[in-house]
Amino acid sequence: LDDPEHARHALEAGMAMIAKLDDINREFQERGWPEVRIGVGLNTGAMSVGNMGSEFRMAYTVLGDAVNLGSRLEGLTKNYGVSIICSETTVAAVPEYAYRELDRVRVKGKAKPVAIYEPLCRKEELDREWKKELKLYQETMRLYRQQQWDMAELNFVNLQRSSRSPELYRVYAERIAHFRAEPPPGDWDGVFDHKTK
């Protein structure tokens, strides 16, 4: 069915899934069962949607580059320590939410980089602590992309200590250590190349 609000509905569904997972995991913990973790990748773009296949095997599915990118983003959630990753096209389609930029990446099989984000909440729900953290993080990313490793590393360490979601900052601290040992090329554009699915 046609849904002009498909991007927002997808984001809200993903966030509801993650919220429900917290309840499920509490119940699992009480029963002594292992925790369940999922990742959600959201991308907005042109794709083929519908029943596909043959008379012998038919399935309702989606196909296309936009679908493939969404799948790659789902796979990246564990790399960044987040539950949901949105592409820049989804962020543009759902501007009423606040996001934390995670990175600029080239995923396996793609030449063009894409900016990726973690959705936090609706903009009006963003609290003072998140606003303060996001301001420092944006400045730190500017330093990182300018290869000002010392200041960027110091800020990432401070962000790790104060954030309610610190895993992302550990990723960047480790990346800076790598770049100190093996500097990026002179024409580095700040994009990280992911080589695996």
Side-chain angles (χ1 to χ4, degrees), residues 148-151 153 173 175-184:
Q148 295 184 36
W149 307 133
D150 292 341
M151 282 302 301
E153 182 178 50
R175 209 180 276 179
I176 287 172
H178 169 77
F179 282 147
R180 279 200 171 108
E182 295 179 40

Side-chain angles (χ1 to χ4, degrees), residues 82-120:
V82 299
S83 299
I84 303 176
I85 293 180
C86 296
S87 72
E88 58 196 28
T89 54
T90 299
V91 169
V94 193
E96 63 266 30
Y97 275 78
Y99 302 87
R100 175 170 64 164
E101 182 183 359
L102 298 174
D103 209 348
R104 292 184 199 145
V105 299
R106 261 183 291 270
V107 297
K108 186 174 173 65
K110 300 285 179 195
K112 186 179 175 199
V114 61
I116 59 174
Y117 299 81
E118 175 190 21
L120 302 175

Side-chain angles (χ1 to χ4, degrees), residues 8 65 67 80 83 96 115 139 142 158 166 176 188:
R8 183 172 58 81
D65 280 347
V67 178
Y80 292 92
S83 299
E96 63 266 30
E139 170 61 15
R142 186 186 65 76
N158 288 330
I176 287 172
W188 183 59

Side-chain angles (χ1 to χ4, degrees), residues 91-159:
V91 169
V94 193
E96 63 266 30
Y97 275 78
Y99 302 87
R100 175 170 64 164
E101 182 183 359
L102 298 174
D103 209 348
R104 292 184 199 145
V105 299
R106 261 183 291 270
V107 297
K108 186 174 173 65
K110 300 285 179 195
K112 186 179 175 199
V114 61
I116 59 174
Y117 299 81
E118 175 190 21
L120 302 175
C121 58
R122 294 182 71 83
K123 284 182 178 174
E124 65 269 13
E125 297 168 353
L126 195 67
D127 63 32
R128 194 165 51 89
E129 286 79 20
W130 262 123
K131 288 177 183 175
K132 182 179 173 185
E133 179 176 329
L134 290 174
K135 185 175 180 184
L136 176 58
Y137 173 56
Q138 287 166 355
E139 170 61 15
T140 305
M141 287 303 289
R142 186 186 65 76
L143 294 167
Y144 165 80
R145 289 179 176 138
Q146 292 175 351
Q147 301 182 43
Q148 295 184 36
W149 307 133
D150 292 341
M151 282 302 301
E153 182 178 50
L154 179 64
N155 284 356
F156 281 129
V157 168
N158 288 330
L159 284 163

Side-chain angles (χ1 to χ4, degrees), residues 48-65:
S48 297
V49 182
N51 288 318
M52 297 180 203
S54 70
E55 61 180 297
F56 302 107
R57 181 174 173 151
M58 185 71 67
Y60 185 84
T61 190
V62 289
L63 296 171
D65 280 347

